[in-house]
Amino acid sequence: MNEQKFTGKADLYEKFRPSYPDELIDFLYENARCEAVADIGAGTGKFTRCLLKKPWQVTAVEPNADMRGKLAEIGSITVVNAPAEDTGLADNSVGLVTTAQAFHWFDEERFKTECKRILTPNGQLAIIFNERNSEDEISVERNEICMRYCGAFHSGHVGKRTTEEGSAFLKNVYFSEVKYFAVENNVENDERTFIGDTLSRSYAIGEDNENYGRFVGELRDVFAKHEKGGKVTIRYTAACYLGRFQEMI
């Protein structure tokens, strides 16, 4: 089940995955005038913490126990143990639903039905991705290593669609009305962060795999090839699709 994909990876995810820029939170706050937000598939709370920069009442929904343990450390939020498609939240209870770096794991149509149920009239859903620039040389080489060692490796929206196909789907198919916002979210990595981010991925092999040492060794080699002053810059775009569903208007 998708709900167990990150079991055992919560610490890596929280320490090494990139956060989200303030400009994106400002965009949501200006365009989703509401009091209550539900962050669904919240993981360790990387995006949930960003939402707390605004005066929203925040509920975080996450079915994975390891990830939910990190959410419990945040405070000032309500944490719910439930899948995205059946949150248990009250009808018409939130003005904004957010899901960051998680939509690709959901049953898309069941999630849409659940959003329609829990959103207030004219409420909106924000689907957010930190999209890594796949054409950067270091990202290309990293992906080649993952393809060699990680049998479950995927790119784009978890193999469902390429990033471009996923964007077209959200803009032209999934929503009835959508606003798109994107901002650079480049991240400087030292060797530890570069490797930790890779190991936090759902497909990454762990220490119990016989190839783990070679896998990490090749990641170190790629980092050494590209580092300047002990750092590499990984280029991300933080992309947000803020939309409504026609039946709700």
Side-chain angles (χ1 to χ4, degrees), residues 92 94-97 115-121 123-125 248:
N92 310 122
V94 295
L96 175 66
V97 168
C115 287
K116 290 177 182 178
R117 185 186 69 78
I118 66 176
L119 281 168
T120 56
Q124 297 180 85
L125 165 63
M248 297 176 60

Side-chain angles (χ1 to χ4, degrees), residues 166-181:
S167 182
F169 170 74
L170 293 174
K171 289 177 179 177
N172 303 319
V173 178
Y174 198 67
F175 290 112
S176 302
E177 171 190 336
V178 65
K179 292 180 180 178
Y180 177 72
F181 178 82

Side-chain angles (χ1 to χ4, degrees), residues 119-225:
L119 281 168
T120 56
N122 261 345
Q124 297 180 85
L125 165 63
I127 297 174
I128 298 124
F129 291 102
N130 261 327
E131 297 172 345
R132 187 164 40 197
N133 188 317
S134 60
E135 296 180 358
D136 283 353
E137 187 176 354
I138 190 169
S139 292
V140 170
E141 293 176 9
R142 171 203 169 275
N143 288 349
E144 288 172 349
I145 293 168
C146 291
M147 280 188 280
R148 283 198 296 275
Y149 289 102
C150 308
F153 174 75
H154 48 71
S155 59
H157 292 185
V158 193
K160 285 185 181 179
R161 305 176 180 91
T162 65
T163 299
E164 293 74 21
E165 289 168 346
S167 182
F169 170 74
L170 293 174
K171 289 177 179 177
N172 303 319
V173 178
Y174 198 67
F175 290 112
S176 302
E177 171 190 336
V178 65
K179 292 180 180 178
Y180 177 72
F181 178 82
V183 61
E184 281 189 4
N185 191 31
N186 297 339
V187 179
E188 278 199 342
N189 285 175
D190 58 17
E191 182 186 79
R192 178 171 173 266
T193 307
F194 176 73
I195 293 172
D197 176 270
T198 304
L199 294 177
S200 78
R201 303 288 161 171
S202 63
Y203 49 76
I205 59 175
E207 294 181 2
D208 59 342
N209 189 290
E210 64 180 359
N211 292 317
Y212 179 80
R214 289 189 291 275
F215 175 52
V216 172
E218 290 193 24
L219 291 172
R220 287 199 177 102
D221 290 343
V222 166
F223 178 87
K225 176 182 175 182

Side-chain angles (χ1 to χ4, degrees), residues 76-87:
S76 304
I77 65 171
T78 300
V79 178
V80 175
N81 173 13
E85 302 86 353
D86 186 16
T87 64

